[in-house]
Amino acid sequence: MSIFQLSITELAQGLRDGEFSSVELTKNYLERIKQHPELNCFVTLTEDHALSAANLADQRLANGTAEILTGIPIAQKDIFCTLGVKTTCGSKMLDNFIAPYNATVVEKLNASGAVMLGKLNMDEFAMGSSNENSYYGPVKNPWNTQTVPGGSSGGSAAAVAARLIVATTGTDTGGSIRQPAAFCGITGLKPTYGRVSRYGMIAYASSLDQGGPMARSAEDAAILLQSMAGFDPKDSTSANTPVPDYRADLNKPLDGLKIGLPKEFFTADLNSDIAATLEKAINEFTKLGATITDVSMPNLQMAIPAYYIIAPAECSANLSRFDGVRYGYRCANPANLADLYTRSRGEAFGTEVKRRILIGTYALSAGYYDAYYLKAQKVRRLISDDFKKALAEVDVLMGPVTPSTAFDLNEKSNDPIQMYLSDIYTIAINLAGVPAMSIPAGFVDNMPVGLQIIGNFFAEDRLLNIAHQFQQVTDWHQRTPKGFE
Ligand code: GLN
């Protein structure tokens, strides 16, 4: 089997058995990445950094201090600050920004010996569902390059699907790990809000943003999350809750597992072939000993309108720091300070980012605050209560990740509402703060379909266990797009 098909565990074994060194592995992966510029997954390749990290990893492997990730090639979504390396967040605004420090996630993955090969393309400031909002151009879906990979972590998902890298990081504010994972046929996990530090992860909507792993399998995602998760005093919303051993329970049988199916997830909005595919997948769980009950979560339908007040409100505040003074792009020859602000922001932000800043500024303005922002916060509480109630009756919820498979490039780029609706099944989870996964569950017209598994706060270990058990009896997660075998 080609080394590009090996999992983290298999690569770790190969490194220990001396079948290849980390330097060899790194060179092979860098070569493969360069062979596929058409996917446009990477904004920056960090070859020198990678080779010196691989060298260090080989030393650790030789002297017995290696961990499971030591020597394994990974890549970071370009939203995570990387010391001395360009960190663009997919924006012209940060095209010249060399981060002066590492995000905690980067620091932790570096410390475990993972070798970062580069920075991955994404929608500008993580706003988008198709990766068409990047200053660096769209990413292509390796299953069909006429289609989008999903967003905003599109580069992360496409790179893993095409086997350009073993595993990557992503971030998820309203679906940006799960939706691209579903479109590209990979495994993605959005952890509980606060599980993974946001320090050094460029902020979009701070009460919703959460980093997480994107990988081929639940086992690989567990390994990555193990390194990423944990309390961080540098992030005031980081949870001071112990991190379990995410691989310890992967093999636990699923007897007695109670699965709830929210009826609001299975409506006419869902493509009927996807519905049939998910039904088959969910049926696998009954064979594994689970029981299924229907649940109702009546407030889910208000998730998109509430999110498109809260997220833009927070982004309008977060993005006010990009003023042409402190960092990033500055316009040429400003006439005065106001001109400097307006032209720097006007020239460097893309259309979608500007749209959100305008919506957010409007929603927060005096006189409108109660009508929009406060109302949206109340709706958020109702949605969150729906999850609490449902998850008191069942162990996990299951449903679709997306209403359709990957759509065509340019299909929705001029219709923001249609674009926003593609996150209809993912956004409520961020509003509630609970963890959720997308796992490969089948194909419709040769395009991957994702199954979403939603758990209670800090039940990442349970989600990974459930996903892993499914992946023991199915091989959807091992399918490789044509031309990338
Ligand atoms: N598509 C959603 C948005 O554009 C979610 C993006 C995300 O999760 N970062 O806001």
Side-chain angles (χ1 to χ4, degrees):
M1 193 167 28
S2 135
I3 53 159
F4 303 113
Q5 297 296 334
L6 300 178
S7 67
I8 294 180
T9 331
E10 288 163 337
L11 287 172
Q13 197 55 49
L15 287 167
R16 278 155 186 78
D17 293 346
E19 280 171 41
F20 37 75
S21 66
S22 178
V23 168
E24 281 163 356
L25 208 54
T26 300
K27 285 186 177 156
N28 274 295
Y29 267 102
L30 285 168
E31 194 51 42
R32 185 171 168 93
I33 293 167
K34 287 186 204 158
Q35 282 164 6
H36 291 289
E38 79 284 5
L39 296 177
N40 201 21
C41 290
F42 282 82
V43 173
T44 306
L45 271 188
T46 49
E47 280 185 71
D48 293 347
H49 165 97
L51 288 170
S52 57
N55 247 313
L56 271 175
D58 282 332
Q59 287 168 26
R60 284 180 69 178
L61 283 153
N63 70 22
T65 59
E67 301 167 33
I68 178 115
L69 274 174
T70 306
I72 307 288
I74 62 152
Q76 296 282 359
K77 183 176 180 179
D78 209 11
I79 198 168
F80 289 102
C81 286
T82 38
L83 174 67
V85 174
K86 192 162 101 153
T87 301
T88 70
C89 218
S91 183
K92 179 178 180 182
M93 183 58 90
L94 292 177
D95 183 47
N96 62 1
F97 178 61
I98 309 282
Y101 66 103
N102 277 328
T104 296
V105 161
V106 173
E107 201 61 47
K108 280 174 170 270
L109 284 165
N110 285 352
S112 63
V115 177
M116 180 183 82
L117 303 201
K119 305 293 297 284
L120 295 154
N121 202 346
M122 56 178 284
D123 279 306
E124 184 175 10
F125 287 103
M127 298 173 198
S129 309
S130 66
N131 224 116
E132 292 168 296
N133 295 339
S134 168
Y135 176 60
Y136 303 95
V139 174
K140 311 283 171 63
N141 187 322
W143 290 95
N144 172 355
T145 52
Q146 304 299 313
T147 67
V148 303
S152 63
S153 314
S156 303
V160 172
R163 286 25 176 176
L164 304 189
I165 196 81
V166 195
T168 57
T169 56
T171 62
D172 192 312
T173 303
S176 280
I177 287 177
R178 292 159 290 154
Q179 187 251 20
F183 278 6
C184 292
I186 68 158
T187 301
L189 168 61
K190 181 207 89 75
T192 308
Y193 182 77
R195 178 72 299 180
V196 168
S197 168
R198 292 185 297 109
Y199 179 75
M201 187 177 111
I202 295 171
Y204 160 19
S206 310
S207 76
L208 301 158
D209 298 342
Q210 183 58 205
M214 301 180 76
R216 300 232 308 277
S217 67
E219 186 178 19
D220 282 1
I223 294 170
L224 215 63
L225 181 63
Q226 197 74 52
S227 169
M228 295 169 77
F231 176 63
D232 181 6
K234 292 182 187 143
D235 170 2
S236 62
T237 59
S238 167
N240 200 347
T241 308
V243 179
D245 178 349
Y246 290 120
R247 278 187 300 158
D249 283 342
L250 287 180
N251 288 317
K252 214 166 85 178
L254 299 187
D255 296 316
L257 175 74
K258 284 196 224 152
I259 300 173
L261 303 182
K263 73 174 170 46
E264 291 76 10
F265 272 180
F266 296 91
T267 63
D269 294 329
L270 180 62
N271 168 297
S272 57
D273 294 330
I274 294 193
T277 306
L278 294 181
E279 200 178 312
K280 268 195 218 135
I282 291 166
N283 203 20
E284 287 294 334
F285 289 101
T286 51
K287 290 192 216 155
L288 293 170
T291 55
I292 315 276
T293 38
D294 289 327
V295 297
S296 176
M297 305 176 68
N299 297 301
L300 283 186
Q301 52 174 349
M302 295 190 290
I304 295 224
Y307 174 90
Y308 278 101
I309 294 294
I310 295 169
E314 293 186 21
C315 103
S316 71
N318 275 326
L319 271 59
S320 66
R321 73 191 66 177
F322 301 106
D323 54 8
V325 176
R326 284 170 284 196
Y327 24 50
Y329 179 85
R330 177 178 298 177
C331 67
N333 309 318
N336 51 46
L337 188 60
D339 187 44
L340 169 76
Y341 290 152
T342 49
R343 273 205 298 121
S344 296
R345 288 167 70 80
E347 289 166 18
F349 285 141
T351 311
E352 186 58 30
V353 172
K354 285 179 186 160
R355 181 180 293 126
R356 307 239 180 146
I357 293 174
L358 287 174
I359 296 172
T361 309
Y362 180 82
L364 289 176
S365 51
Y368 293 117
Y369 182 92
D370 289 3
Y372 297 115
Y373 186 74
L374 202 63
K375 193 61 138 237
Q377 292 290 23
K378 289 179 179 169
V379 171
R380 181 177 190 171
R381 171 57 64 91
L382 293 175
I383 290 170
S384 173
D385 287 347
D386 271 4
F387 278 94
K388 280 193 193 128
K389 258 184 240 150
L391 289 165
E393 288 167 30
V394 296
D395 299 314
V396 288
L397 300 163
M398 286 191 189
V401 183
T402 56
S404 71
T405 55
F407 45 87
D408 287 346
L409 285 154
N410 297 320
E411 188 181 323
K412 303 188 189 212
S413 40
N414 292 321
D415 188 344
I417 302 285
Q418 277 312 310
M419 189 69 91
Y420 296 171
L421 286 172
S422 61
D423 297 318
I424 189 161
Y425 303 120
T426 50
I427 270 178
I429 285 91
N430 300 73
L431 291 169
V434 292
M437 281 186 89
S438 172
I439 59 169
F443 287 82
V444 167
D445 296 332
N446 299 317
M447 292 304 283
V449 172
L451 169 73
Q452 188 167 209
I453 317 175
I454 306 156
N456 224 325
F457 294 98
F458 300 104
E460 287 81 6
D461 47 353
R462 190 67 171 138
L463 296 184
L464 289 161
N465 162 230
I466 293 166
H468 181 71
Q469 288 305 302
F470 182 78
Q471 293 180 342
Q472 298 309 295
V473 295
T474 58
D475 70 349
W476 307 118
H477 64 294
Q478 277 160 350
R479 307 286 178 99
T480 312
K482 247 217 201 88
F484 297 97
E485 294 90 351

